[in-house]
Amino acid sequence: MRRRRSLTRRGAGALVAALLCVIGANLVAAPILLYIGILLALLTGFSALMAWLPRRTGTVSRQVSTDLLTVSETSRVSIRFALRSLRVPHALWHDTLPDAVSGDAGGEYPTQSGQLGYRITGVRRGVWPIGPLVLRTVDPFGLAQREQEFGETRTVTVVPEVFALAPLAVRVGAAGGTAHTSSTRLGQGADNLSPRFYLPGDSMRRIHWRATAHRGQLMVRQEEEESSPDAIVVLDRSAERWDRPGDEADAAFEAAVSLCASSAVHLADEGYGVDVIDSAGVLLGTLRGHEDDRDALLVALALIAPRGDHRDVTTLIGGAPPGPLVYITGRLSEDDAATLRTAGAAAGILLATDPEQGAAETATRNGWSFAPLGDDVAAAWADALPERIGVGDVPG
């Protein structure tokens, strides 16, 4: 717990005035100036004792209304501060905030209650500390002050912003429109039912009477497994794709991270099982319909930064090709685009924050639906969507 004791500007001025009065009294032989100087010095000393000597202890508890704060999202911080000391005549409080979080975290300390609160807005993704709480007390004459820190810090996680994106033209699976990656989700409706012969132990409520009448034997309903096509989102964060840190380079990488999160969440909402990996093959997150999947992915993306190398897409994917494949990168030359393959994906979507001349045409020839990625993440996604794929068609 740190304490800082000092005089206010008024207090410093009072001491200077006291010194000048004492000097002036000696020069002009005016005892009244000496008395005034002594009075100012004593008053300043008394004020300092009032502000500095009382022992003050307190407990601080914070609650943030949102566990994960999205960039540009606003949340409320509630503070319960219990101060144990003599009555504070006047005090100002403020909570220490990092540059990555903005908010008006301060005000006058309430004399009746220790309930404090303010709103914060996420500015930059990452994990940031909030606190400690700083209480600035001033004596009744405003001559001396003390700043004291209370409580521990609490971290707040600022995750990338997730934008609403345009849907794919048609739900595609691996190998050109046939989603053949099975999941275990059963019983999603009558269209997913098929009859089979009755077996001992089957519930009578599952008897398929129409099939029984047609076959002449007891038939029961059996839920078919729904197929859940896989989608893969690749964030190319290899160091060679991104400039050294700076305002423009940081903004481009932030847009890429935001699109990575947005596209993964969007594809999961469309019914795909989504794997999110980086360009070195490190798994950043999976979305398979579980409640915590989305938050786990956003937390992983909150801490990501450009580093390492990249690997060939086919090596990254391995096994069966996915349905949609989203590849997000930074600097993309024509030679880079020539070596970048869709690896058999049913729909290959490529976005680059810094495409060089000829990169877009080369990527398109390789089967990618390409668009440059700028500040407007949703617009870039819409521009990159492949043309409508007819049911049963196999994209080239």
Side-chain angles (χ1 to χ4, degrees), residues 25 43 53-54 59 94 136 257 286 329 343 364:
L43 181 61
L53 284 185
T59 57
H94 72 268
R136 176 176 175 264
V257 175
T286 59
T329 187
T364 302

Side-chain angles (χ1 to χ4, degrees), residues 20-370:
L20 292 178
C21 286
V22 172
I23 295 174
N26 291 328
L27 291 178
V28 300
I32 187 64
L33 292 179
L34 179 62
Y35 298 146
I36 293 175
I38 294 174
L39 178 61
L40 286 175
L42 290 176
L43 181 61
T44 304
F46 177 73
S47 297
L49 291 176
M50 288 186 64
W52 298 347
L53 284 185
R55 178 179 176 83
R56 299 187 180 106
T57 59
T59 57
V60 178
S61 60
R62 289 182 186 83
Q63 288 185 340
V64 183
S65 60
T66 306
D67 291 334
L68 299 180
L69 183 64
T70 302
V71 171
S72 77
E73 181 186 7
T74 298
S75 181
R76 181 167 181 80
V77 179
S78 300
I79 303 175
R80 186 173 183 84
F81 178 39
L83 179 64
R84 296 182 292 273
S85 71
L86 297 176
R87 183 176 180 274
V88 179
H90 179 65
L92 298 174
W93 68 273
H94 72 268
D95 219 5
T96 307
L97 296 181
D99 294 337
V101 176
S102 65
D104 185 11
E108 291 194 9
Y109 182 73
T111 57
Q112 302 297 328
S113 171
Q115 294 285 350
L116 312 172
Y118 59 94
R119 293 190 175 277
I120 58 174
T121 302
V123 176
R124 191 169 67 251
R125 62 185 176 83
V127 179
W128 311 104
I130 294 180
L133 182 74
V134 178
L135 186 67
R136 176 176 175 264
T137 56
V138 183
D139 74 281
F141 301 104
L143 301 178
Q145 64 182 357
R146 174 170 71 175
E147 286 190 354
Q148 187 173 353
E149 295 179 352
F150 295 90
E152 303 295 332
T153 62
R154 170 170 177 169
T155 59
V156 58
T157 302
V158 181
V159 300
E161 189 169 5
V162 177
F163 294 92
L165 302 180
L168 294 177
V170 66
R171 190 166 183 262
V172 296
T178 303
H180 65 268
T181 305
S182 297
S183 75
T184 58
R185 295 176 296 176
L186 301 178
Q188 302 297 318
D191 292 340
N192 300 316
L193 304 178
S194 61
R196 63 169 173 80
F197 290 109
Y198 173 85
L199 297 175
D202 286 336
S203 171
M204 297 299 292
R205 289 178 298 179
R206 296 179 59 192
I207 292 179
H208 196 303
W209 295 109
R210 181 177 298 180
T212 297
H214 179 71
R215 294 287 187 98
Q217 300 183 48
L218 277 179
M219 305 290 292
V220 296
R221 295 186 300 271
Q222 173 176 279
E223 294 86 353
E224 291 181 347
E225 287 191 348
E226 285 189 350
S227 59
S228 175
D230 287 334
I232 296 180
V233 178
V234 181
L235 176 61
D236 186 353
R237 61 162 171 164
S238 54
E240 66 184 76
R241 303 296 191 199
W242 305 96
D243 294 325
R244 294 182 179 180
D247 291 342
E248 187 173 344
D250 290 346
F253 188 72
E254 292 306 311
V257 175
S258 183
L259 178 59
C260 177
S262 300
S263 59
V265 171
H266 175 68
L267 291 171
D269 289 342
E270 287 200 342
Y272 295 96
V274 183
D275 291 328
V276 182
I277 60 178
D278 69 6
S279 50
V282 176
L283 182 65
L284 303 177
T286 59
L287 299 180
R288 292 292 187 275
H290 300 296
E291 185 176 349
D292 296 333
D293 287 352
R294 181 180 184 273
D295 289 348
L297 172 63
L298 293 179
V299 170
L301 292 177
L303 302 173
I304 202 167
R307 69 172 188 182
D309 299 322
H310 67 277
R311 297 166 59 189
D312 178 74
V313 177
T314 305
T315 305
L316 288 176
I317 295 175
L325 169 63
V326 180
Y327 197 97
I328 306 165
T329 187
R331 185 185 300 107
L332 184 68
S333 68
E334 186 175 359
D335 291 339
D336 294 330
T339 60
L340 199 59
R341 305 295 180 180
T342 61
I349 301 173
L350 173 63
L351 299 103
T353 61
D354 185 18
E356 297 179 0
Q357 186 175 3
E361 294 78 5
T362 303
T364 302
R365 286 197 301 269
N366 279 348
W368 292 99
S369 295
F370 176 83

